[in-house]
Amino acid sequence: MNSDLLPRDWHPQRTIPAAAYVHIPFCAKKCGYCDFNAYSGYKDGTKSRYIDAICHEIITRGEGGAPLSSVFFGGGTPTQLPTAALVKIIDALRDTLGITPDAEVTLEANPNDVRLHDWNRLKDAGVNRVSFGVQSFNPSVLRMIDRTHAPEDAGTAIEIVRMAGIDNLSIDLMFGLPRQTLADWRRTLDHAFALNVPHLSIYGLILEENTPFWGRLQRGRMVLPGDVAQAAMLELAMDLSAKAGYDRYELSNYAKHGLQSRHNRVYWRNDPYWGFGAGAVGYDNVDRTTNVMRPSRYIDAMLGGNAISFEATETPDLAGSIGETLMLGLRLPEGVDLSEISNRYGVDMRAMFSDELAAGIGAGLLEMSGSALRLTRHGTMFANDAMMLFIA
Ligand code: SF4
């Protein structure tokens, strides 16, 4: 990067978000591979205080905000909260910020929690998209990764939610799991296609050092598919999903009938969003903030009358903001429009990144079409290498 070309007087404007992420940190059981801000074992009383805390945060921080066009309940497992609690949080968002009539409101759900909920009531409250954490349809793989649901729970859950008239459904699947073979992965993909949901999120397992699985791997007590096998699993997912009618509209996301996740596009375009709840990240075009992680500390801060409980605030400089925008945008098949980014930041992108562009294109990771820069198919297999070119 030629940083001499960066303007010295860059003053980004804070922007009121039109999207909100709501973090529900509770899970029935902590999965051995998970490094999310998620916990098992919290009692109902604490969960109830958490709901009050999150409503307090929404009401105090959200005052003067703008109506939301997307809301995403993630976790953790949002469906660990009762229906009434989820409705209460949506009502707090609607009363404080407003929710546009055509907003996308997504709830992440564990397949075996679904029958505990009143989906008609959730739909009336505004929920119109459900994302199921399925991961695999192989019972022994599910047990191995500590999931609490059975393969058949996914089909039942989808049926229940569809009966309430919610059809915009997604399934999360994972490859590169312990004992997973290519044949087993193909069966999982085929099972998912047969359920005919319009959206799939497909991720490779990435183990972080603070997880129990990492320790097991280091001690030789766990064997994972190697790099070649994982690449074959990704290629299989790409090929079979295309044959089944899904567009790969982001590195890990596939949609039919244009039913892409509107909320995730906010992240990939590096647009602003609220983050409510313990450990939730928010971005206002200037600061990226992270709320305190521990639910108990978050509850104490909020119910103690605080308006904010940030554990960290990061203010990316111009080079960092440009790098993030490029990195996130390259996740999309259309890539990034270098002219648009040049205008957005007042920098000539082709001149600033001339060496990196030449290196990425020369290595077959990137390609240019007009002012659009995107990953090649080879580049999608080595996306991190391509993206690291643009990180200062
Ligand atoms: S259900 Fe999801 S969030 Fe909860 S522990 Fe498992 S992977 Fe993590």
Side-chain angles (χ1 to χ4, degrees):
M1 178 180 66
N2 185 350
S3 47
D4 291 344
L5 297 178
L6 288 171
R8 302 269 168 249
D9 55 345
W10 182 64
H11 300 293
Q13 297 293 309
R14 286 189 200 282
T15 309
I16 296 176
Y21 172 79
V22 181
H23 190 74
I24 308 298
F26 310 115
C27 288
K29 181 180 178 189
K30 181 93 183 188
C31 305
Y33 60 88
C34 177
D35 81 325
F36 294 160
N37 190 35
Y39 309 84
S40 61
Y42 273 95
K43 302 266 186 301
D44 287 350
T46 308
K47 290 181 183 173
S48 165
R49 281 163 48 79
Y50 186 82
I51 297 152
D52 291 342
I54 222 167
C55 289
H56 171 84
E57 186 188 11
I58 291 167
I59 292 164
T60 48
R61 284 183 61 211
E63 201 185 329
L68 301 169
S69 57
S70 82
V71 177
F72 193 100
F73 282 82
T77 312
T79 46
Q80 282 283 297
L81 291 183
T83 298
L86 295 167
V87 171
K88 185 174 172 179
I89 297 170
I90 296 171
D91 286 347
L93 290 167
R94 182 173 283 110
D95 294 347
T96 308
L97 293 159
I99 298 177
T100 62
D102 63 343
E104 176 188 276
V105 181
T106 303
L107 197 61
E108 281 189 336
N110 187 10
N112 55 350
D113 291 342
V114 164
R115 63 177 74 247
L116 306 175
H117 284 276
D118 180 344
W119 289 94
N120 289 314
R121 197 168 158 208
L122 287 168
K123 185 178 176 226
D124 289 347
V127 174
N128 52 22
R129 185 170 182 275
V130 182
S131 174
F132 298 98
V134 173
Q135 317 313 350
S136 171
F137 286 98
N138 179 323
S140 64
V141 170
L142 284 175
R143 272 195 303 278
M144 181 75 70
I145 61 171
D146 301 332
R147 304 296 300 194
T148 56
H149 64 272
E152 58 274 17
D153 290 337
T156 309
I158 286 167
E159 213 178 303
I160 292 170
V161 172
R162 275 187 175 142
M163 272 165 50
I166 303 175
D167 296 318
N168 193 355
L169 306 178
S170 181
I171 286 180
D172 284 0
L173 300 174
M174 288 177 79
F175 62 89
L177 298 174
R179 292 204 190 156
Q180 196 177 39
T181 63
L182 193 60
D184 166 61
W185 175 232
R186 177 186 278 269
R187 281 192 290 277
T188 279
L189 288 167
D190 285 342
H191 197 141
F193 300 147
L195 292 170
N196 201 24
V197 292
H199 191 280
L200 301 172
S201 294
I202 300 179
Y203 301 96
L205 174 68
I206 295 175
L207 282 187
E208 303 294 342
E209 289 189 21
N210 57 347
T211 58
F213 274 25
W214 175 267
R216 275 186 234 170
L217 190 69
Q218 299 310 307
R219 291 192 297 276
R221 294 205 187 143
M222 174 177 285
V223 180
L224 296 176
D227 290 348
V228 173
Q230 290 209 36
M233 289 178 183
L234 176 56
E235 293 238 62
L236 189 68
M238 287 161 62
D239 291 341
L240 293 187
S241 60
K243 279 193 193 128
Y246 292 88
D247 277 335
R248 190 187 195 206
Y249 72 97
E250 192 270 345
L251 285 179
S252 306
N253 287 281
Y254 304 73
K256 272 186 181 175
H257 318 305
L259 285 172
Q260 304 178 358
S261 160
R262 197 189 300 174
H263 188 81
N264 283 344
R265 285 193 76 88
V266 171
Y267 300 144
W268 300 322
R269 287 185 46 80
N270 207 14
D271 285 338
Y273 52 92
W274 296 98
F276 296 119
V281 174
Y283 178 57
D284 66 0
N285 208 36
V286 175
D287 293 327
R288 200 172 294 282
T289 55
T290 307
N291 278 353
V292 291
M293 301 295 250
R294 294 297 296 191
S296 48
R297 283 188 54 217
Y298 170 80
I299 292 169
D300 288 347
M302 286 298 123
L303 299 189
N306 294 337
I308 57 170
S309 62
F310 299 152
E311 189 161 281
T313 300
E314 186 196 332
T315 308
D317 60 11
L318 179 53
S321 293
I322 292 172
E324 277 177 10
T325 301
L326 285 172
M327 207 173 77
L328 293 165
L330 283 173
R331 298 186 64 87
L332 302 170
E334 68 270 27
V336 289
D337 185 327
L338 291 186
S339 302
E340 190 189 313
I341 298 179
S342 295
N343 290 336
R344 179 169 170 180
Y345 293 107
V347 182
D348 182 341
M349 298 295 293
R350 287 178 194 250
M352 193 163 112
F353 287 108
S354 57
D355 291 347
E356 291 80 0
L357 290 171
I361 292 168
L365 297 170
L366 297 168
E367 61 190 8
M368 290 283 307
S369 169
S371 62
L373 173 71
R374 58 180 174 242
L375 296 174
T376 59
R377 180 173 166 112
H378 176 68
T380 64
M381 307 295 294
F382 299 95
N384 281 347
D385 294 346
M387 290 168 185
M388 290 314 289
L389 290 169
F390 300 104
I391 297 301

